[in-house]
Amino acid sequence: MRLTLQMLISHGRVARKMGLGPESRLNMLRNILTGLVKHERIETTLGRADEVRFYAEKLIDYAKKGDTDTKAMKMANFWLTVLLYHRFFLLVSLSYSDPVPSTLFCFCLPDFYEYSWFFGSSSYFLFSLWFQEKDLIPKLFKVLAPRFEAQPKGYTRMARIPNRENLDKAAMAVLEYKGNPFPPLQPAKRENELTLINQLLKGYREEQAQQAAAMVESQ
Amino acid sequence: MSLSGFVCFLRRSLLQLEGRIVQATGLDRQFVPALAVHGPNALPQTQDESEETTEPSFLDHVLWMAAPKKRRTIEINRTRRRSSEFMIKVKNNIEPCVECGHLKQKHILCGFCYEKIRKETARIRGQIRAMEGGPLNTPAQETVVLYDSESPGEADKNKRIVETSRKRPSWFSTH
């Protein structure tokens, strides 16, 4: 590739780079989004939470279209999947075609061959194992979509948490769908009646009430 | 003044005037070349020019490069190294949390309060996991968490109920 000046300068470029490449980024976001739909509240790094937010809200928009919509179904099928093994090396013979008959992978869909390499006499197959979470698709259409029917947008809430305790001290965020059953992140603000100003105001209101009552009695 | 002297003066001034007129009119000019040179010497030679227009070497620039004139004294060095630019930056966005009083940054949730919420969420999730039994058993229903001596209300009809015998924490209010 030509080493241009444009390559070195990234002024104004807003798209984030995550993982090993664009495909890796989408896989990572897919995993996070599946976790969010399953648990309704997750903790990740700040950048990943910010990226997933867009996809989480778009997924709800598609889910609102309904069960019968083909596009919505395709979106749900694509996004509610978890990548189990990426680029899993498997030494197989050339005539091997059936999936691995192990109980561990009985509910997996190992039907995605990315590409196969041939090293001399033996052959290695590179493939990624996706695991589709079949129970989350009805949850998306029957629980999350009706929950946000009245709202046009803003289905998620993101708040920053103190940095991770690890050596990397990564900036973390908690991302949740609104209306989840868990305790709220920011408890409702309650006015403290015992502050000076509030006590003075209370006394003033009581005085006014007394005066009004006295006026009514005299009349 | 004598008459002969006057005549001499007149003669001189008239000659001078004549000379000035001749100069002004250009009649004194001779049409002859100012400089005559042998042919080949007058024409420019390309080889010499190319040698002259090569860039001056790096060593010629050395004489014009910036260099410190004097040694920076330790006092000056200390002043620079200990200035605010090199110190740890002061944060003025720290405030006490309203709920618990621990210090927190303005744009970040309080660590203590969030830890409480996280533990409670983890407990609720543990119970949900026990209720579900295995993976891929998420029901297509909303969930409601009920604490000790709480009964499901009108809005909790079609929801999955997660019951605990613990007391409801003060910061988890019912809406």
Side-chain angles (χ1 to χ4, degrees):
Chain A
M1 210 153 111
R2 264 236 170 118
L3 291 174
T4 57
L5 197 64
Q6 273 180 338
M7 270 172 64
L8 299 168
I9 300 173
S10 82
H11 288 171
R13 298 202 195 167
V14 292
R16 263 195 202 91
K17 285 187 198 176
M18 276 164 56
L20 309 162
E23 201 189 319
S24 164
R25 171 184 162 271
L26 280 175
N27 288 338
M28 212 190 289
L29 293 176
R30 196 155 35 146
N31 284 359
I32 298 170
L33 183 55
T34 310
L36 176 64
V37 170
K38 184 168 180 184
H39 298 116
E40 296 195 37
R41 180 186 282 178
I42 53 166
E43 264 180 46
T44 46
T45 62
L46 184 59
R48 285 175 201 170
D50 196 40
E51 286 282 297
V52 164
R53 224 179 159 188
F54 167 80
Y55 293 99
E57 307 215 338
K58 268 286 189 284
L59 188 67
I60 300 283
D61 284 331
Y62 272 108
K64 277 187 182 177
K65 290 185 184 175
D67 228 340
T68 46
D69 193 53
T70 43
K71 187 86 188 277
M73 211 56 205
K74 275 187 190 174
M75 280 285 165
N77 279 327
F78 175 76
W79 280 101
L80 297 174
T81 335
V82 165
L83 190 61
L84 273 185
Y85 298 109
H86 188 58
R87 310 218 170 210
F88 188 58
F89 275 93
L90 194 69
L91 177 62
V92 291
S93 62
L94 285 164
S95 57
Y96 194 75
S97 57
D98 298 321
V100 180
S102 160
T103 47
L104 216 106
F105 303 133
C106 61
F107 42 72
C108 295
L109 306 168
D111 54 356
F112 200 97
Y113 290 113
E114 294 199 327
Y115 40 88
S116 57
W117 290 352
F118 292 93
F119 282 87
S121 55
S122 57
S123 69
Y124 294 84
F125 276 92
L126 276 179
F127 67 99
S128 311
L129 276 176
W130 269 275
F131 170 38
Q132 197 181 44
E133 305 240 359
K134 291 247 182 262
D135 55 325
L136 292 182
I137 297 171
K139 180 181 176 180
L140 175 72
F141 285 105
K142 286 175 190 162
V143 175
L144 293 177
R147 195 199 280 179
F148 300 120
E149 230 173 321
Q151 297 168 34
K153 54 179 184 174
Y155 317 119
T156 53
R157 190 181 287 126
M158 187 174 89
R160 273 194 70 176
I161 316 171
N163 290 359
R164 208 193 261 161
E165 292 301 318
N166 290 0
L167 182 68
D168 64 3
K169 298 282 181 211
M172 298 291 276
V174 61
L175 184 64
E176 61 170 15
Y177 274 123
K178 291 181 184 171
N180 61 72
F182 302 120
L185 290 171
Q186 269 141 345
K189 279 185 187 174
R190 282 161 298 168
E191 279 285 313
N192 188 6
E193 218 194 49
L194 301 169
T195 57
L196 180 64
I197 294 172
N198 281 346
Q199 286 283 292
L200 291 170
L201 283 170
K202 188 176 162 190
Y204 175 75
R205 271 184 232 119
E206 278 169 11
E207 252 188 60
Q208 291 293 307
Q210 275 174 9
Q211 279 178 5
M215 287 282 279
V216 165
E217 274 180 24
S218 64
Q219 277 178 359
Chain B
M1 225 165 39
S2 62
L3 192 66
S4 58
F6 178 68
V7 168
C8 283
F9 167 71
L10 209 63
R11 189 171 153 263
R12 258 186 277 129
S13 60
L14 283 169
L15 280 172
Q16 226 180 29
L17 188 65
E18 190 198 354
R20 281 202 192 132
I21 289 165
V22 163
Q23 202 182 32
T25 52
L27 292 168
D28 63 334
R29 255 188 245 166
Q30 307 284 325
F31 292 103
V32 151
L35 179 68
V37 174
H38 186 58
N41 289 336
L43 293 168
Q45 286 179 17
T46 48
Q47 285 164 12
D48 287 338
E49 245 190 42
S50 61
E51 279 172 22
E52 280 164 19
T53 51
T54 48
E55 278 184 30
S57 64
F58 173 70
L59 293 168
D60 293 347
H61 280 306
V62 168
L63 300 168
W64 280 270
M65 286 192 104
K69 197 71 182 175
K70 284 277 176 194
R71 179 207 153 103
R72 277 162 150 180
T73 58
I74 187 63
E75 295 93 357
I76 286 173
N77 278 334
R78 279 203 197 111
T79 326
R80 185 185 66 255
R81 286 169 196 159
R82 295 173 192 188
S83 75
S84 57
E85 189 198 332
F86 294 96
M87 303 290 220
I88 297 171
K89 307 285 179 283
V90 172
K91 282 196 173 105
N92 51 12
N93 54 0
I94 304 174
E95 58 176 17
C97 169
V98 174
E99 302 286 314
C100 63
H102 285 83
L103 292 174
K104 71 186 258 308
Q105 282 197 297
K106 281 184 187 165
H107 57 297
I108 296 179
L109 295 180
C110 169
F112 189 77
C113 298
Y114 178 70
E115 194 56 36
K116 283 194 292 185
I117 293 165
R118 202 177 65 81
K119 287 228 159 65
E120 188 60 35
T121 316
R123 271 194 220 111
I124 296 167
R125 279 222 191 103
Q127 269 204 282
I128 290 172
R129 208 184 307 133
M131 276 172 71
E132 283 181 4
L136 305 177
N137 286 339
T138 320
Q141 269 182 315
E142 294 268 10
T143 318
V144 138
V145 183
L146 293 174
Y147 286 89
D148 184 39
S149 67
E150 277 177 22
S151 52
E154 275 294 308
D156 307 335
K157 264 188 213 169
N158 301 324
K159 294 187 189 175
R160 162 178 68 165
I161 296 162
V162 177
E163 276 177 328
T164 28
S165 55
R166 274 174 278 123
K167 207 178 68 173
R168 181 171 278 269
S170 56
W171 36 267
F172 188 3
S173 57
T174 43
H175 290 287

